[in-house]
PDB file of all heavy atoms in Angstrom:
ATOM      1  N   PHE B  13     -12.034  -3.810  12.483  1.00 96.00           N
ATOM      2  CA  PHE B  13     -13.129  -2.944  12.140  1.00 96.00           C
ATOM      3  C   PHE B  13     -13.531  -2.181  13.386  1.00 96.00           C
ATOM      4  O   PHE B  13     -13.561  -2.709  14.510  1.00 96.00           O
ATOM      5  CB  PHE B  13     -14.320  -3.781  11.631  1.00 96.00           C
ATOM      6  CG  PHE B  13     -15.473  -2.938  11.185  1.00 96.00           C
ATOM      7  CD1 PHE B  13     -15.500  -2.316   9.954  1.00 96.00           C
ATOM      8  CD2 PHE B  13     -16.578  -2.726  12.063  1.00 96.00           C
ATOM      9  CE1 PHE B  13     -16.562  -1.506   9.529  1.00 96.00           C
ATOM     10  CE2 PHE B  13     -17.646  -1.941  11.612  1.00 96.00           C
ATOM     11  CZ  PHE B  13     -17.672  -1.315  10.369  1.00 96.00           C
ATOM     12  N   LEU B  14     -13.837  -0.893  13.175  1.00 97.00           N
ATOM     13  CA  LEU B  14     -14.218  -0.015  14.310  1.00 97.00           C
ATOM     14  C   LEU B  14     -15.301   0.983  13.847  1.00 97.00           C
ATOM     15  O   LEU B  14     -15.130   1.661  12.869  1.00 97.00           O
ATOM     16  CB  LEU B  14     -12.983   0.741  14.773  1.00 97.00           C
ATOM     17  CG  LEU B  14     -13.004   1.415  16.109  1.00 97.00           C
ATOM     18  CD1 LEU B  14     -13.369   0.488  17.231  1.00 97.00           C
ATOM     19  CD2 LEU B  14     -11.620   2.073  16.381  1.00 97.00           C
ATOM     20  N   SER B  15     -16.440   0.952  14.577  1.00 97.00           N
ATOM     21  CA  SER B  15     -17.487   1.907  14.290  1.00 97.00           C
ATOM     22  C   SER B  15     -17.787   2.738  15.510  1.00 97.00           C
ATOM     23  O   SER B  15     -18.100   2.183  16.547  1.00 97.00           O
ATOM     24  CB  SER B  15     -18.767   1.125  13.844  1.00 97.00           C
ATOM     25  OG  SER B  15     -19.808   2.034  13.516  1.00 97.00           O
ATOM     26  N   ILE B  16     -17.597   4.015  15.423  1.00 97.00           N
ATOM     27  CA  ILE B  16     -17.758   4.895  16.638  1.00 97.00           C
ATOM     28  C   ILE B  16     -18.590   6.145  16.269  1.00 97.00           C
ATOM     29  O   ILE B  16     -18.859   6.405  15.052  1.00 97.00           O
ATOM     30  CB  ILE B  16     -16.396   5.335  17.159  1.00 97.00           C
ATOM     31  CG1 ILE B  16     -15.646   6.112  16.036  1.00 97.00           C
ATOM     32  CG2 ILE B  16     -15.555   4.121  17.649  1.00 97.00           C
ATOM     33  CD1 ILE B  16     -14.343   6.754  16.586  1.00 97.00           C
ATOM     34  N   GLN B  17     -18.973   6.839  17.304  1.00 97.00           N
ATOM     35  CA  GLN B  17     -19.703   8.081  17.071  1.00 97.00           C
ATOM     36  C   GLN B  17     -18.699   9.259  16.978  1.00 97.00           C
ATOM     37  O   GLN B  17     -17.617   9.225  17.533  1.00 97.00           O
ATOM     38  CB  GLN B  17     -20.645   8.369  18.258  1.00 97.00           C
ATOM     39  CG  GLN B  17     -21.772   7.382  18.396  1.00 97.00           C
ATOM     40  CD  GLN B  17     -22.738   7.479  17.179  1.00 97.00           C
ATOM     41  OE1 GLN B  17     -23.171   6.471  16.567  1.00 97.00           O
ATOM     42  NE2 GLN B  17     -23.148   8.725  16.825  1.00 97.00           N
ATOM     43  N   GLU B  18     -19.154  10.260  16.251  1.00 97.00           N
ATOM     44  CA  GLU B  18     -18.327  11.481  16.167  1.00 97.00           C
ATOM     45  C   GLU B  18     -18.005  12.018  17.508  1.00 97.00           C
ATOM     46  O   GLU B  18     -18.856  12.046  18.453  1.00 97.00           O
ATOM     47  CB  GLU B  18     -19.157  12.528  15.375  1.00 97.00           C
ATOM     48  CG  GLU B  18     -18.453  13.876  15.156  1.00 97.00           C
ATOM     49  CD  GLU B  18     -19.300  14.810  14.285  1.00 97.00           C
ATOM     50  OE1 GLU B  18     -20.407  14.445  13.899  1.00 97.00           O
ATOM     51  OE2 GLU B  18     -18.787  15.927  14.045  1.00 97.00           O
ATOM     52  N   GLY B  19     -16.738  12.449  17.687  1.00 97.00           N
ATOM     53  CA  GLY B  19     -16.313  12.970  18.962  1.00 97.00           C
ATOM     54  C   GLY B  19     -15.599  11.996  19.884  1.00 97.00           C
ATOM     55  O   GLY B  19     -14.911  12.397  20.853  1.00 97.00           O
ATOM     56  N   GLU B  20     -15.710  10.728  19.578  1.00 98.00           N
ATOM     57  CA  GLU B  20     -14.999   9.706  20.418  1.00 98.00           C
ATOM     58  C   GLU B  20     -13.548   9.593  19.993  1.00 98.00           C
ATOM     59  O   GLU B  20     -13.146  10.028  18.932  1.00 98.00           O
ATOM     60  CB  GLU B  20     -15.706   8.351  20.205  1.00 98.00           C
ATOM     61  CG  GLU B  20     -17.137   8.280  20.797  1.00 98.00           C
ATOM     62  CD  GLU B  20     -17.717   6.844  20.642  1.00 98.00           C
ATOM     63  OE1 GLU B  20     -16.953   5.927  20.322  1.00 98.00           O
ATOM     64  OE2 GLU B  20     -18.928   6.702  20.898  1.00 98.00           O
ATOM     65  N   ASN B  21     -12.770   9.030  20.968  1.00 98.00           N
ATOM     66  CA  ASN B  21     -11.395   8.805  20.714  1.00 98.00           C
ATOM     67  C   ASN B  21     -11.195   7.322  20.356  1.00 98.00           C
ATOM     68  O   ASN B  21     -12.054   6.438  20.737  1.00 98.00           O
ATOM     69  CB  ASN B  21     -10.567   9.117  21.940  1.00 98.00           C
ATOM     70  CG  ASN B  21     -10.725  10.536  22.394  1.00 98.00           C
ATOM     71  OD1 ASN B  21     -10.988  11.383  21.596  1.00 98.00           O
ATOM     72  ND2 ASN B  21     -10.556  10.738  23.679  1.00 98.00           N
ATOM     73  N   LEU B  22     -10.126   6.985  19.617  1.00 98.00           N
ATOM     74  CA  LEU B  22      -9.867   5.626  19.281  1.00 98.00           C
ATOM     75  C   LEU B  22      -8.370   5.402  19.118  1.00 98.00           C
ATOM     76  O   LEU B  22      -7.609   6.342  18.856  1.00 98.00           O
ATOM     77  CB  LEU B  22     -10.570   5.244  18.000  1.00 98.00           C
ATOM     78  CG  LEU B  22     -10.031   5.970  16.752  1.00 98.00           C
ATOM     79  CD1 LEU B  22      -9.461   4.945  15.765  1.00 98.00           C
ATOM     80  CD2 LEU B  22     -11.167   6.780  16.117  1.00 98.00           C
ATOM     81  N   THR B  23      -7.950   4.141  19.231  1.00 98.00           N
ATOM     82  CA  THR B  23      -6.567   3.773  19.034  1.00 98.00           C
ATOM     83  C   THR B  23      -6.512   2.511  18.160  1.00 98.00           C
ATOM     84  O   THR B  23      -7.252   1.544  18.422  1.00 98.00           O
ATOM     85  CB  THR B  23      -5.814   3.535  20.369  1.00 98.00           C
ATOM     86  OG1 THR B  23      -5.882   4.707  21.142  1.00 98.00           O
ATOM     87  CG2 THR B  23      -4.375   3.170  20.092  1.00 98.00           C
ATOM     88  N   VAL B  24      -5.667   2.543  17.151  1.00 98.00           N
ATOM     89  CA  VAL B  24      -5.393   1.407  16.266  1.00 98.00           C
ATOM     90  C   VAL B  24      -3.956   0.932  16.569  1.00 98.00           C
ATOM     91  O   VAL B  24      -3.059   1.735  16.695  1.00 98.00           O
ATOM     92  CB  VAL B  24      -5.573   1.771  14.815  1.00 98.00           C
ATOM     93  CG1 VAL B  24      -5.264   0.625  13.884  1.00 98.00           C
ATOM     94  CG2 VAL B  24      -6.996   2.276  14.570  1.00 98.00           C
TER      95      VAL B  24
END
Side-chain angles (χ1 to χ4, degrees):
Chain B
F13 183 80
L14 195 54
S15 181
I16 61 172
Q17 292 296 133
E18 182 177 0
E20 291 183 12
N21 302 332
L22 66 117
T23 302
V24 177

